[in-house]
Each structure stands twice: as C-alpha cells, then as structure tokens.
Amino acid sequence: MSEPNEANEPNERNEQPDKPDQPDRPEHRLRKELPEEVPARAPEPEPAPGQNTEEQLSGRQRLVKGLWPPRVSRAQLIVALLLFGLGFGLAVQVASNSDSDSALRGARQEDLVRILDELDSRTQRLEDEKQGLEKQRQELQSSSDQAAEARKQTAEKEKQLGILAGTVAAQGPGITMTIEDTKGTVKADMLLDAIQELRAAGAEAIQVNGVRVVAGTYFTDSGKGVGVDGNKINAPYRFKVIGKPQDLEPALNIPGGVVQTLEKEQATVTVQQSGKIVVDALRQAKRPDYARSSSQ
C-alpha cells in the first residue's frame, strides 16, 4: 500500500500550482524602466550640389514666391475697383478737355490775336453798359424832378425794349451775312448757332429772310428749307444784323466757328460790313400767359 503512495508523490508534486514569480533579476528590472526603443530614422539625403533649397533661394526667387500666386483680400479688391473708376473718370475728363481745346491749339497766331481782341471788346462793352447804368442811377438820385426824369428814362427804355422785342423797326451799323446752300446741307441747328454767336458778339437786332429774330425765336428743319418761328425760308439765307461790325465779323470767322462749320458742309458764306443796316421786319407784341410784373 505504501508503494502506490510513493508512486503518486511525483504527480502530486507536479500538480501543485505555480509559485509566484521570483523577483526579477537586475537586468530585467532595468529593461522595464527604460522607454521602448524607437526605430532610428533613415538619414535624409543631402541636396545635390547646385540644388536650390529654402535657404539657397535668391532674393528675386523669394520675391516671386511671395507675390505669386497673388493673395487678394476683399478690401484690396474694393480699393482696386475704386482706383480704376477714378482713373477712368480722369481719363474721360482729360479727353473731353483735349477735344474742346483742339481748335485753339491748331489756330494760327493771328487767329489767336483776333480772339483776344474780341474778348477785350466784349469786356469793354460790358464795362460801358455798367457805366451807363451807374449814370442812370446817379441821375435818378440827383435830379430835382425825379418823376420827370423817371418818365424820360421809361420812354427811352420802351424804345429799347421795342427793338429787342421786334415791335419797332431799327437801323444802325452792322453786317449782312449771306449763306448759299446749293447742296441742301445747311440745317436749322447751324443757323441757330450763327444767331447765338452774333448775340454773344453784341448783336442788337437780327432779321433772317424777312423774319425778325427775338428772344423766343426757334429754328426747325422743314424739308429742303428751314422753319423760323413756323415760317419756312429757303436758301440763300440772308442775315441782317445791327451791332458793331468790328465785333460781329470776327466772331463769325474764329477758328472752328460759324463760317468754317458752314464751309465744311459745302456752303458759301459772305459777310459784308455796312454803316447802315435796316431791320424792318416786325413782330406783334404778345401778352404773356403766365408772367406778370412783380410791381403790380
């Protein structure tokens, strides 16, 4: 009986549970405390000789790299659009001023002298008118009989206004301008430009082919002719103008003025000065529909 027991002893010894691990050896404890090994990185290849790196870029290359591709913000875009609009407006203004001054730039010296003389004449005429008004004011203030003086000036003013309104005939020095238009190229706006230039030069009474020109006169194209205040007139167009001849004729002959414009349209213009021009075409005085004197 004892033999089986002895035979079983080794089995019992083998079936015993494992004993707890023995304390690690020093080399095992040191391995646990050290961090895990990191695999070594492969060394980066060195740049080949002559190859450009960030440090080897030249100043020009760094400038190009910083500017391109462009980075535009919204504010920069708005400022660029505003500057473009401002530049475009200035260019248009300079171009328009250049077009308006082109006629004078190409003018001859004698033409420029004539224009300056005309401007001096207009200035002198305005100065004379100012002195005349000052004289009338002084006469009204210093006259012993202001009522009689006022009636006298009123009668004189009535005559002047009658000439301007076309209700009375007028005569005096001036010019006669004749426009021959065999091609039918002269239009109403060209005749209106002539009237405006004559008025600016000091014309006091104007008559065109038997029609008195007043403040409200209008021109229209009418077939092969021209309508003046509803009255059709045909070429040749004859202007009778009362004013200072030395001012009227140069005003028509300035570079780019009335005569040159009409000649470009293949019309023939003749201007003659005279010591006596009679403007006898009359207009009927018309009562205004709405305007009334402020003194009433």
Side-chain angles (χ1 to χ4, degrees):
M1 295 299 289
S2 60
E3 292 177 0
N5 291 334
E6 291 177 0
N8 291 335
E9 284 179 3
N11 293 336
E12 289 176 0
R13 205 177 280 118
N14 293 334
E15 291 177 359
Q16 288 180 359
D18 296 337
K19 293 179 180 181
D21 295 337
Q22 294 296 328
D24 295 334
R25 289 181 297 176
E27 57 183 4
H28 294 166
R29 186 169 58 252
L30 181 60
R31 175 66 63 181
K32 289 182 179 181
E33 292 177 358
L34 292 175
E36 295 182 359
E37 293 183 359
V38 179
R41 296 175 57 184
E44 296 181 357
E46 295 183 358
Q51 182 180 358
N52 288 332
T53 63
E54 186 67 22
E55 292 79 4
Q56 295 174 347
L57 292 176
S58 65
R60 178 178 299 177
Q61 290 172 337
R62 288 197 297 271
L63 178 60
V64 173
K65 186 176 180 180
L67 294 179
W68 188 264
R71 300 176 181 84
V72 181
S73 64
R74 184 178 180 182
Q76 291 174 340
L77 182 60
I78 294 175
V79 172
L81 291 176
L82 292 176
L83 291 176
F84 174 78
L86 178 61
F88 181 77
L90 291 176
V92 172
Q93 183 67 25
V94 171
S96 62
N97 292 338
S98 299
D99 293 338
S100 61
D101 297 340
S102 59
L104 293 179
R105 289 176 181 173
R108 298 174 301 176
Q109 183 177 2
E110 52 267 25
D111 293 332
L112 295 175
V113 172
R114 183 184 304 173
I115 293 174
L116 291 176
D117 292 341
E118 180 186 354
L119 293 176
D120 292 339
S121 300
R122 292 183 183 181
T123 303
Q124 184 63 39
R125 184 169 61 254
L126 293 175
E127 186 66 27
D128 295 342
E129 184 177 355
K130 175 185 175 182
Q131 293 179 0
L133 294 175
E134 289 288 343
K135 183 179 180 180
Q136 291 180 6
R137 183 177 65 86
Q138 293 175 2
E139 289 177 353
L140 287 173
Q141 292 177 351
S142 60
S143 176
S144 57
D145 189 358
Q146 295 185 358
E149 185 65 22
R151 286 193 297 268
K152 179 181 178 181
Q153 293 187 9
T154 300
E156 184 67 22
K157 182 65 68 176
E158 182 180 1
K159 294 180 181 179
Q160 297 177 2
L161 294 177
I163 294 175
L164 297 177
T167 57
V168 297
Q171 67 178 13
I175 63 170
T176 300
M177 180 175 67
T178 304
I179 302 174
E180 296 284 347
D181 181 25
T182 57
K183 302 291 184 179
T185 56
V186 177
K187 302 299 180 182
D189 57 341
M190 301 177 188
L191 300 183
L192 180 60
D193 290 341
I195 295 294
Q196 298 293 358
E197 192 65 38
L198 290 170
R199 283 174 171 170
E204 298 175 350
I206 305 175
Q207 175 178 319
V208 182
N209 285 31
V211 180
R212 187 73 170 265
V213 177
V214 294
T217 296
Y218 61 92
F219 288 77
T220 58
D221 292 321
S222 178
K224 295 183 178 181
V226 175
V228 182
D229 291 341
N231 302 305
K232 184 178 180 179
I233 61 175
N234 297 315
Y237 305 108
R238 184 170 289 104
F239 289 66
K240 292 184 178 180
V241 186
I242 296 178
K244 188 176 180 180
Q246 292 79 7
D247 293 339
L248 298 176
E249 184 176 2
L252 297 174
N253 289 306
I254 61 175
V258 174
V259 174
Q260 287 190 2
T261 301
L262 292 172
E263 288 177 349
K264 288 181 180 178
E265 299 297 334
Q266 299 181 356
T268 304
V269 183
T270 303
V271 180
Q272 294 180 349
Q273 297 186 15
S274 177
K276 181 179 180 182
I277 298 292
V278 178
V279 175
D280 52 4
L282 303 180
R283 299 290 292 266
Q284 186 177 1
K286 181 181 178 181
R287 180 181 177 85
D289 296 329
Y290 304 100
R292 297 290 183 271
S293 174
S294 59
S295 60
Q296 292 182 353

